[in-house]
């Protein structure tokens, strides 16, 4: 009888797990379908609001413009929410599109730092790109620091999405100081980070930060808002490239989000570069 009870217990657990997975799959499919269907009307509303705000298309008074600008901003936020929901559902069921290619991370990060600099400076925050042992990428005389070439195989669009998300969060939660994007590595790993001098994250929240829909419960997060999906999606994207993402933080001193990706050797990088060139070169007849 004891053996029979054990078997029944195992069967019960198996049924519970199977049912839980089936329900999770149904939820993911519903979120994916609903998000996809709702994106179209939201995009249409956003488009019409943009036309109404275009002075060459419509003439409106300042009070009406203020209302329309608030509506347009809310619609953009709603569209971002639907996009995040759709991306998170695809990440969970393995449908997230990923097109890896050869990327030299140093140049990639340096270009991203420049493109993001305006958003940081708009909030009166300094923006810097660090190389090696947290040193600046250029000297006081303007000479660039010589650094190794760090090659990885990654989807540049997806990686740009991750870094932009980390940067946006850093700017949101940093009232003064600076945002740093840094790069280092060794023979096997390329490591880069996004660091801020903001409010920091409570220790009890750090381990949950990359879970779906998880948000730190504080007055700052409630006033700023957000979907709680950005870091979850970022983790899924980095894992697609066999990488790792994590955070180290201290209250009132700031946070640093680290990303590790496998580094390609010079030989593998050259071979991949040759292969990509052959694929993109048109045939001559």
């Amino acid at each position: 009888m004891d053996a029979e009870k054990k078997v029944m217990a195992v069967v019960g657990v198996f049924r519970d797990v199977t049912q839980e997975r089936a329900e999770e799959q149904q939820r993911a499919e519903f979120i994916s379908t609903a998000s996809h269907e709702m994106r179209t009307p939201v995009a249409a509303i956003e488009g019409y609001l943009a036309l109404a705000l275009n002075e060459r298309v419509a003439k409106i008074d300042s009070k009406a413009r203020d209302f329309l600008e608030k509506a347009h901003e809310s619609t953009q936020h709603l569209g971002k929410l639907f996009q995040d929901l759709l991306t998170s559902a695809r990440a969970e069921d393995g449908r997230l599109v990923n097109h890896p290619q050869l990327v030299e991370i140093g140049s990639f990060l340096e270009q991203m730092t420049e493109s993001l600099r305006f958003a940081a400076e708009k909030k009166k925050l300094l923006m810097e790109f660090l190389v090696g042992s947290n040193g600046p990428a250029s000297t006081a005389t303007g000479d660039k620091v010589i650094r190794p070439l760090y090659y990885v195989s990654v989807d540049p669009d997806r990686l740009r999405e991750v870094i932009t998300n980390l940067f946006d969060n850093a700017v949101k939660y940093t009232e003064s100081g600076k945002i740093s994007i840094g790069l280092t590595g060794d023979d096997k790993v390329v490591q880069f980070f996004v660091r801020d001098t903001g409010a920091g994250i409570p220790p009890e929240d750090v381990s949950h930060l990359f879970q779906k829909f998880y948000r730190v419960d504080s007055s700052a997060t409630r006033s700023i808002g957000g979907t709680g999906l950005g870091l979850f999606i970022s983790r899924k994207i980095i894992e697609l490239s066999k990488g790792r993402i994590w955070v180290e933080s201290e209250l009132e001193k700031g946070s640093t989000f680290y990303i590790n990706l496998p580094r390609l050797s010079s030989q593998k990088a050259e071979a991949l570069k040759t292969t990509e060139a052959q694929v993109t070169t048109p045939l001559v007849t």
Side-chain angles (χ1 to χ4, degrees):
M1 291 295 293
D2 289 341
E4 184 178 347
K5 288 180 179 178
K6 289 180 181 179
V7 170
M8 293 301 294
V10 171
V11 170
V13 171
F14 179 76
R15 285 175 178 169
D16 289 344
V17 171
T18 303
Q19 182 177 357
E20 184 178 338
R21 288 179 178 174
E23 290 173 352
E24 183 64 31
Q25 179 66 25
Q26 289 178 342
R27 284 194 292 270
E29 288 177 359
F30 171 78
I31 290 173
S32 180
T33 302
S35 301
H36 181 76
E37 292 298 323
M38 287 187 284
R39 274 198 314 164
T40 301
V42 169
I45 295 170
E46 183 181 344
Y48 283 123
L49 287 171
L51 284 173
L53 288 167
N54 189 331
E55 293 181 352
R56 292 178 294 181
V57 176
K59 300 296 181 183
I60 54 176
D61 60 38
S62 59
K63 190 172 183 179
R65 176 172 294 277
D66 183 55
F67 291 150
L68 288 173
E69 284 175 348
K70 286 182 171 62
H72 189 239
E73 184 178 331
S74 296
T75 307
Q76 287 179 317
H77 177 74
L78 190 59
K80 177 68 165 56
L81 170 61
F82 290 145
Q83 181 58 52
D84 283 351
L85 286 168
L86 187 59
T87 303
S88 66
R90 288 172 174 170
E92 283 190 298
D93 61 19
R95 293 184 296 117
L96 189 62
V97 177
N98 187 53
H99 300 294
Q101 55 185 268
L102 184 66
V103 173
E104 201 287 293
I105 286 292
S107 298
F108 183 86
L109 291 177
E110 193 168 15
Q111 290 172 6
M112 284 216 66
T113 301
E114 289 306 310
S115 66
L116 296 169
R117 186 180 300 279
F118 175 75
E121 292 178 346
K122 188 177 179 181
K123 198 176 176 182
K124 296 183 170 29
L125 298 172
L126 296 175
M127 184 78 184
E128 63 181 359
F129 177 50
L130 306 174
V131 176
S133 301
N134 295 346
S138 59
T139 64
T141 59
D143 297 327
K144 288 195 173 183
V145 174
I146 297 176
R147 58 172 173 77
L149 296 177
Y150 292 108
Y151 287 105
V152 297
S153 178
V154 67
D155 186 325
D157 293 330
R158 291 296 182 192
L159 185 59
R160 189 174 292 107
E161 183 179 345
V162 171
I163 296 171
T164 301
N165 178 63
L166 297 180
F167 170 82
D168 287 345
N169 285 343
V171 171
K172 285 178 185 177
Y173 298 109
T174 303
E175 293 304 317
S176 63
K178 62 184 177 181
I179 310 296
S180 306
I181 294 180
L183 168 68
T184 186
D186 56 28
D187 291 341
K188 295 183 179 180
V189 174
V190 176
Q191 183 178 101
F192 49 100
F193 61 80
V194 177
R195 176 178 295 148
D196 64 62
T197 56
I201 302 163
E204 63 271 20
D205 291 306
V206 168
S207 61
H208 304 288
L209 211 57
F210 295 93
Q211 295 174 3
K212 187 170 60 172
F213 297 120
Y214 189 86
R215 300 189 69 232
V216 176
D217 187 15
S218 69
S219 57
T221 56
R222 284 192 292 271
S223 62
I224 291 174
T227 64
L229 288 170
L231 292 178
F232 170 77
I233 293 170
S234 295
R235 175 171 66 85
K236 289 292 186 179
I237 289 173
I238 295 302
E239 288 174 350
L240 278 175
S241 298
K242 299 179 173 57
R244 177 182 170 229
I245 181 171
W246 75 100
V247 62
E248 295 179 3
S249 184
E250 189 174 349
L251 284 175
E252 306 304 327
K253 291 189 177 180
S255 306
T256 304
F257 285 82
Y258 293 93
I259 295 174
N260 279 6
L261 290 175
R263 182 182 181 181
L264 297 179
S265 66
S266 300
Q267 293 83 357
K268 286 186 178 180
E270 286 299 323
L272 189 55
K273 191 182 299 184
T274 301
T275 301
E276 290 180 356
Q278 291 173 344
V279 171
T280 57
T281 302
L283 295 174
V284 178
T285 57

